[in-house]
Amino acid sequence: MSDTEIQIVLLSLRVAGVAILIALPLAFAVAWLFARHDFPGKSVAQALVMLPLVVPPVVTGYGLLVLFGTQGAVGGPLRDWLGVTFAFRWTGAALAAGVMAFPLLVRPIRLSLEAIDPTLPEMAQTLGVGPLRRFSTITLPLALPGLIAGGILGFAKALGEFGATITFVSNVPGETQTLSLAIYSLLQSPQGDAAALRLIGFSVVLALGAVIVSELVQRRLGVGSGDE
Amino acid sequence: MSGALDVDITVRQGAFETRCTFCAQDGITALFGPSGAGKTTALRTIAGLVSGAAGVVRVGGKVLLDSAQGIDVPAEKRRVGFVFQEGRLLPHLSVAANLAYGRHGGRGPSGPALQNMAERLGIGHLLERKPRTLSGGERQRLAIGRALLSDPALLLMDEPLASLDPARRVELLPMIEMVRDEIDIPIVLVSHNVSEVARLAETLVVMDGGRTLAAGSALEIFSCFETDAVLGQGEAGALVEGEVTAIDSEFGIASVDLGGAKLELTQDGFAVGQHVRLRILASDVSLAVGDASAMAGLSIRNRLSAEIQAIAPDLAGGPYAELLLGIREGSLRARVTRKSLVEMELREGQSVTAMIKAVSVERRRSVG
């Protein structure tokens, strides 16, 4: 692989990695809210979280542009106060990837949270175990399979994100041109076939690797505690 | 009044109100009643797992709940061990780690105490296993061990035997008695099994429909009329305690002294000096007017002088009458037909002879 191709792969890994690292705790909080609490407007909130999965990615990208663009309702204040900009930056690509992967993170985490016996924390209370310790010894370990499954699935999705990214932050080589965008660009040019094939091969290997690693980790953890 | 445990609580859940009031000394207190009586709610309130409870809970003088004073100690600070009906083991941890969880969620030191507890509960060889591979009885023993390792000032058990088959039940009963005898804390146990209660309970609290029907010493409460509705007419009877004073090996008879009154039992395996708790069903007691203790020509040898203390009609409106009899120490129950009651002219205060046809031994303990 050429230096440019390695750059593309490294950029894609960084974009997807940052996207999932930031999205995972948020997805856990949302999944916890949905799994354990009832509140007015819950079904609307659930539909909103699932939206990126069903709306055309271009539409999601346009929505991000409107909200997080330099003039956007959120993007403007973020730039002014925190100095964070998204437009045409890899951070924008990470945001797009994170938003698109979010529903895929929430679902498995929510399922594993719902599978936890809700009476266990109460049992821990009678043993004198405080709330933080209850979370770290019961909720977190029992939700781990969902976190891993969601994380891997979301990472694979973030790595291959195309529509929302190109709409939101365009296709800037070295900055926002991730794997899918680079493959698309290479296929547009007459000499690009060989390079495109190498990147395609690499993305297939990466995806397969992710799935295998997730399987191995889950088996190692003895996941699916097996009761009931 | 105050004891090892004082409870006077009122909990409202929807339209259902549960009131539970009792004082208990050390040893086992049984909350007894049919399902839906409010037993589990009472237990959960003592543990601090029910919010909005009114009243008082005191353990060994320490106030856990006093709604008038605005005191409501959170569950994790109450030092009240709880053995749940379904065990509630942590599925992702080994037996050893589940036990260690009793020490501040696995943070405190355990080591020898943990090993020791596991051995005493007979699960020492299972420490590496996962809870899902355990039998029902082993799971309950693990849950008991975990609760005890949290160093509780009070142990609550919600029908610890209900989910077990009869054989496992027989195994677990002595474990509960071991906990009672070796660990000096009061135990409150929920049960709807009469023989369990007759064997284990020092204090008995009878509940039905969210109310406390009777509470006090098991020996007194067992024979009072209020408990009949919950026990069922067939189970109505008295609990008495005594000491084995002599063994007649020629005839295979053991003499038991019930505070002055003497009973003869045929069961084997008694030793002189043993303390026994006996259950005598109302339907196994017949009455004779006057002094029948010397009457010849009767095969029933257990004849106790008694005084009729109270007479109540048959609960089901049937042909029987229920009688409460006072013997030297304690009381007996008898059931006679209403026709006998009239023909024998039985009335309260009258002296009679109680003739006992059958006795079951609920507990025997050698006093060292």
Side-chain angles (χ1 to χ4, degrees):
Chain A
M1 284 204 293
S2 71
D3 279 358
T4 336
E5 286 158 26
I6 290 172
Q7 287 302 315
I8 289 166
V9 169
L10 289 179
L11 174 70
S12 298
L13 290 175
R14 180 170 61 176
V15 165
V18 167
I20 297 307
L21 277 182
I22 293 176
L24 208 53
L26 289 174
F28 189 89
V30 168
W32 169 263
L33 207 62
F34 287 167
R36 284 289 157 86
H37 297 277
D38 273 313
F39 51 91
K42 183 175 172 180
S43 48
V44 176
Q46 282 172 312
L48 268 176
V49 166
M50 284 300 141
L51 213 55
L53 207 58
V54 287
V55 161
V58 177
V59 174
T60 306
Y62 179 72
L64 289 173
L65 200 55
V66 171
L67 279 174
F68 290 92
T70 326
Q71 311 297 325
V74 184
L78 270 183
R79 185 200 53 196
D80 295 343
W81 297 338
L82 296 175
V84 180
T85 54
F86 294 109
F88 307 111
R89 299 283 316 280
W90 72 271
T91 48
L95 177 62
V99 167
M100 291 301 290
F102 200 70
L104 298 177
L105 298 178
V106 171
R107 207 178 146 67
I109 298 172
R110 178 180 174 175
L111 286 177
S112 65
L113 282 174
E114 281 173 346
I116 299 176
D117 179 352
T119 65
L120 289 179
E122 188 182 86
M123 170 281 294
Q125 250 181 307
T126 66
L127 295 174
V129 181
L132 272 177
R133 185 81 185 150
R134 292 202 292 273
F135 178 81
S136 69
T137 55
I138 299 176
T139 311
L140 204 55
L142 286 172
L144 202 57
L147 272 165
I148 292 171
I152 300 270
L153 199 63
F155 184 74
K157 169 72 183 167
L159 213 52
E161 218 299 304
F162 182 80
T165 310
I166 204 166
T167 312
F168 180 32
V169 289
S170 185
N171 188 354
V172 184
E175 188 65 43
T176 70
Q177 194 180 63
T178 54
L179 264 172
S180 302
L181 273 61
I183 292 169
Y184 171 76
S185 300
L186 286 168
L187 290 176
Q188 301 297 304
S189 78
Q191 302 86 20
D193 282 7
L197 265 178
R198 282 197 294 277
L199 289 180
I200 287 169
F202 186 79
S203 55
V204 170
V205 168
L206 211 61
L208 273 177
V211 172
I212 291 168
V213 166
S214 106
E215 285 290 321
L216 286 179
V217 171
Q218 303 221 19
R219 205 168 300 165
R220 189 69 180 274
L221 286 170
V223 164
S225 46
D227 280 58
E228 279 79 52
Chain B
M1 266 210 297
S2 105
L5 171 65
D6 298 308
V7 173
D8 180 5
I9 47 176
T10 307
V11 188
R12 192 180 294 277
Q13 289 176 321
F16 193 76
E17 191 182 77
T18 304
R19 286 216 55 177
C20 186
T21 307
F22 65 92
C23 291
Q25 302 305 319
D26 281 337
I28 295 178
T29 300
L31 298 188
F32 178 75
S35 12
K39 309 182 295 290
T40 298
T41 302
L43 211 59
R44 292 173 54 82
T45 307
I46 297 171
L49 297 174
V50 177
S51 57
V56 176
V57 175
R58 263 194 309 267
V59 178
K62 189 168 174 264
V63 178
L64 299 183
L65 173 74
D66 189 340
S67 53
Q69 305 279 327
I71 300 172
D72 187 358
V73 178
E76 56 259 47
K77 301 232 188 302
R78 286 197 178 197
R79 286 184 65 215
V80 172
F82 203 126
V83 177
F84 295 90
Q85 194 175 348
E86 67 280 32
R88 298 201 187 172
L89 307 172
L90 294 169
H92 57 300
L93 299 180
S94 67
V95 169
N98 263 284
L99 275 174
Y101 202 78
R103 294 270 198 221
H104 309 288
R107 266 196 299 209
S110 34
L114 186 150
Q115 190 67 38
N116 185 17
M117 181 67 70
E119 298 298 341
R120 278 156 77 188
L121 291 168
I123 52 174
H125 59 297
L126 304 170
L127 290 176
E128 303 304 316
R129 300 254 293 265
K130 283 280 174 75
R132 65 172 178 275
T133 66
L134 302 183
S135 72
E138 289 162 348
R139 294 170 65 95
Q140 276 308 348
R141 279 183 266 165
L142 171 51
I144 292 170
R146 181 179 63 185
L148 289 176
L149 280 169
S150 74
D151 189 26
L154 167 69
L155 184 66
L156 308 176
M157 305 175 101
D158 190 5
E159 304 214 29
L161 302 160
S163 61
L164 305 180
D165 56 69
R168 297 287 94 69
R169 214 174 267 217
V170 170
E171 278 176 23
L172 198 61
L173 271 168
M175 297 280 173
I176 295 176
E177 288 169 326
M178 178 205 81
V179 171
R180 174 196 63 198
D181 297 339
E182 296 186 13
I183 296 162
D184 191 23
I185 54 170
I187 299 172
V188 181
L189 176 142
V190 160
S191 176
H192 58 234
N193 182 311
V194 183
S195 62
E196 246 170 66
V197 170
R199 172 165 169 176
L200 295 173
E202 237 42 72
T203 306
L204 180 58
V205 181
V206 181
M207 296 185 71
D208 194 14
R211 290 177 309 123
T212 305
L213 296 184
S217 135
L219 299 189
E220 283 167 29
I221 301 301
F222 237 86
S223 52
C224 76
F225 293 133
E226 284 80 5
T227 52
D228 287 11
V230 175
L231 284 167
Q233 199 183 44
E235 300 277 5
L239 275 186
V240 292
E241 285 184 355
E243 190 185 327
V244 178
T245 52
I247 306 278
D248 177 346
S249 48
E250 186 190 348
F251 292 105
I253 297 246
S255 297
V256 175
D257 176 46
L258 305 174
K262 199 185 86 176
L263 275 186
E264 289 180 349
L265 304 181
T266 55
Q267 284 95 336
D268 297 334
F270 288 114
V272 171
Q274 232 173 12
H275 268 255
V276 291
R277 176 184 273 194
L278 310 169
R279 182 147 168 254
I280 303 169
L281 292 179
S283 52
D284 288 329
V285 177
S286 299
L287 297 182
V289 177
D291 181 14
S293 58
M295 192 191 292
L298 256 181
S299 67
I300 298 176
R301 294 185 54 83
N302 284 323
R303 310 169 193 173
L304 303 183
S305 309
E307 186 192 283
I308 299 178
Q309 290 181 333
I311 302 176
D314 185 342
L315 213 62
Y320 294 101
E322 302 286 342
L323 291 92
L324 178 66
L325 311 172
I327 53 174
R328 291 235 184 130
E329 276 179 22
S331 42
L332 286 180
R333 283 288 300 276
R335 179 177 306 132
V336 301
T337 59
R338 278 190 286 136
K339 194 168 181 185
S340 300
L341 193 74
V342 170
E343 287 187 357
M344 292 166 74
E345 296 177 337
L346 298 176
R347 58 187 194 285
E348 288 175 14
Q350 188 175 357
S351 291
V352 291
T353 300
M355 294 185 287
I356 298 163
K357 289 174 275 186
V359 171
S360 63
V361 181
E362 300 295 341
R363 186 198 279 180
R364 55 181 89 191
R365 198 191 308 175
S366 303
V367 179

